[in-house]
Amino acid sequence: MDPGAPALAASVKVLIAGGFGVGKTTMVASISEIPPLRTEEMITELSTGIDDLSGVESKTTTTVALDFGRITIDKDLVLYLFGTPGQDRFWFLWDELARGALGAVVLADTRRLGNSFAAIDYFERRGLPFLIAVNCFDGAPRYTIDEVRDALDLDPSIPVMLCDARDRVSAKNVLLSLIEHLIERATRPNLTTK
């Protein structure tokens, strides 16, 4: 390697996951330094009885495949963001989206906190590190981090934080916290070795 050549930045794939209408597309759009790729379609009456719009009645579009964005953290680290679809009928895409990911953000909505369990279970079963980011919607009930942790029955090692997916700084803080969590897990001594 040429000693005068600039070093290449490490590329890290991160998933932005969670239930239907929790703000995944919004988060990717707010943080991406490139125009985000979106695969949104209008919600029509054909989704009646399929998509549960309770708590998000004003939602008019939905992601049907993925959202994609990119953010350069610094000269050594670039994050590639993949937003997952939230409806159960599109979950077959999650396995492909998760391939090669180093970690995930599970966005949660306190109006429908139970919708977070499927994403949490998905990442726990696959051993993919994640954190919970509670998207603080206007008018939504407010809970402490400990109350959210208890309600979701989370392991104490899983970070939980509050955020506003619309706000670039807030979204960036979530991603930085995820990176810190990934580094901490990678450098933690393995307690099972003899």
Side-chain angles (χ1 to χ4, degrees):
M1 177 178 214
D2 176 7
L8 294 175
S11 299
V12 175
K13 181 178 183 180
V14 171
L15 296 184
I16 309 297
F20 176 63
V22 77
K24 299 174 297 290
T25 298
T26 300
M27 181 176 226
V28 171
S30 74
I31 193 70
S32 182
E33 64 196 16
I34 61 172
L37 168 69
R38 296 180 181 158
T39 59
E40 287 198 305
E41 292 295 330
M42 295 295 295
I43 295 174
T44 67
E45 42 188 62
L46 292 175
S47 70
T48 303
I50 297 171
D51 295 326
D52 180 9
L53 294 176
S54 54
V56 291
E57 292 83 4
S58 62
K59 187 167 177 56
T60 59
T61 61
T62 187
T63 300
V64 296
L66 65 106
D67 298 308
F68 174 77
R70 180 188 75 207
I71 179 170
T72 302
I73 299 297
D74 62 29
K75 67 180 181 55
D76 297 321
L77 182 61
V78 176
L79 302 183
Y80 291 95
L81 310 174
F82 289 79
T84 64
Q87 301 97 314
D88 296 349
R89 69 181 183 273
F90 297 124
W91 273 48
F92 67 92
L93 295 167
W94 280 47
D95 288 337
E96 285 302 316
L97 292 173
R99 190 180 318 265
L102 289 187
V105 171
V106 175
L107 276 177
D109 178 350
T110 59
R111 299 171 298 182
R112 297 170 302 124
L113 204 52
N115 290 353
S116 303
F117 286 116
I120 292 167
D121 290 344
Y122 181 89
F123 296 123
E124 284 180 342
R125 283 193 317 263
R126 283 157 183 81
L128 187 67
F130 65 95
L131 64 70
I132 304 294
V134 179
N135 192 6
C136 298
F137 285 92
D138 296 334
R142 302 282 190 218
Y143 298 100
T144 67
I145 288 173
D146 288 337
E147 289 172 325
V148 171
R149 179 180 301 286
D150 289 345
L152 294 176
D153 192 28
L154 296 171
D155 183 278
S157 67
I158 297 171
V160 178
M161 59 190 308
L162 305 177
C163 75
D164 182 341
R166 301 167 298 183
D167 181 73
R168 181 175 174 79
V169 171
S170 183
K172 187 172 183 178
N173 287 337
V174 168
L175 294 174
L176 291 173
S177 293
L178 176 63
I179 297 303
E180 290 170 3
H181 177 58
L182 295 174
I183 291 169
E184 188 273 327
R185 279 180 49 105
T187 58
R188 183 185 314 151
N190 186 349
L191 300 177
T192 60
T193 57
K194 295 182 180 185

